[in-house]
Structure formats: structure tokens, C-alpha cells
Amino acid sequence: MEKLLLFLMQGIPESAGYFSLSLALLGVPLRWKRIVAAGTVLALVFYAVRSFQLTFGFHMAVGIFLIVVAINKSTHIPLTRTFVAVLTSFVTLILLELIGMKVFFTATHLDPNTTIVENNNVLWVLSGLPQAFLLNIFALLVAKFNKPREDTWKI
């Protein structure tokens, strides 16, 4: 149970982050109740998919598919534009994770391999929270400069 709660502590803000960044890139107004609800569902799906111990990264493919479908069904944005925005959000997350992990482990002088092997879930969550919050900040910045159109939501 502790593992699930720690996963959700990082997973919900992160999932909400790339969902909101995708919407902002598409010029869709950010509706935070919908975004947090979608982020929660996505985090739970990610947890379930990751617990099956399938190929590493499979949960990302599932997430991309689910976000594309969710945005496509709930907005008037074409599928191709949605797919590009979602991929851009995931690439942004990957870059933030690479940079964030490098900074975190350099600043703390911890060894990433030791942290993973010791199964230190609290440290792992703490190392991932900054990029989750940065994704949401990026979404707010993109929405500020990429003026949202009110007629994009279907629901």
C-alpha cells in the first residue's frame, strides 16, 4: 500500500503535467479539475501496467495512447495535432527527467544504482517531483503565450 501511495504522490502531478502541457500546446483552455481527474486515472493505469512487469517503457506507450484518445474524444482538435502535442509533452518529460535526475544525484552525492537496488521509494519519489511540477509550470507558461480558444472543448 505504501508503494502505491508513493507512486501516486509523484504519478498524479506528473500525469496531470503532461496532460496539461499537451492541452496547452493545442491551445485548449486548462480546466484543472478535469486535468487532475485525468492525471489520477492515468497514474492508476500506469501503476497497474507497471505492476504487470511487461517490457520497460510499455506504460509510456499505453499513456500516449490513452492521452491521445482522451484529448481527441473531449476536444475538437484533430487527431494528428493531438498526437504531436502528446509526444512533445512526453519528450519534455523525458528531458526533464534526465536533467532532473542528474542534478538530484549530483547534489545529493547518491549513487542512482544504489538507490534503485536499495528500493528507496521515498528518495525515488523525491527525485521525481521537481519535473512533475515543472511540467505543470510549463503548461501554465505555454497557455499564457499560446492563447487558448474557448471553443475547443466538447464536454
Side-chain angles (χ1 to χ4, degrees), residues 46-76:
F46 283 162
Y47 185 80
V49 170
R50 288 177 76 173
S51 68
F52 291 135
Q53 297 183 1
L54 299 167
T55 303
F56 178 75
F58 183 71
H59 70 286
M60 294 297 275
V62 170
I64 290 169
F65 175 76
L66 288 176
I67 294 173
V68 167
V69 169
I71 291 174
N72 188 260
K73 294 292 183 189
S74 59
T75 68
H76 294 285

Side-chain angles (χ1 to χ4, degrees), residues 88-113:
T88 302
S89 295
F90 272 87
V91 168
T92 303
L93 171 65
I94 291 166
L95 291 173
L96 285 172
E97 283 188 350
L98 289 172
I99 294 166
M101 292 298 174
K102 180 73 173 166
V103 169
F104 177 81
F105 287 112
T106 301
T108 60
H109 303 291
L110 293 171
D111 178 37
N113 295 324

Side-chain angles (χ1 to χ4, degrees), residues 29-54:
L30 300 179
R31 306 281 188 250
W32 287 101
K33 287 181 183 177
R34 295 175 188 175
I35 291 167
V36 171
T40 302
V41 169
L42 283 167
L44 289 169
V45 168
F46 283 162
Y47 185 80
V49 170
R50 288 177 76 173
S51 68
F52 291 135
Q53 297 183 1
L54 299 167

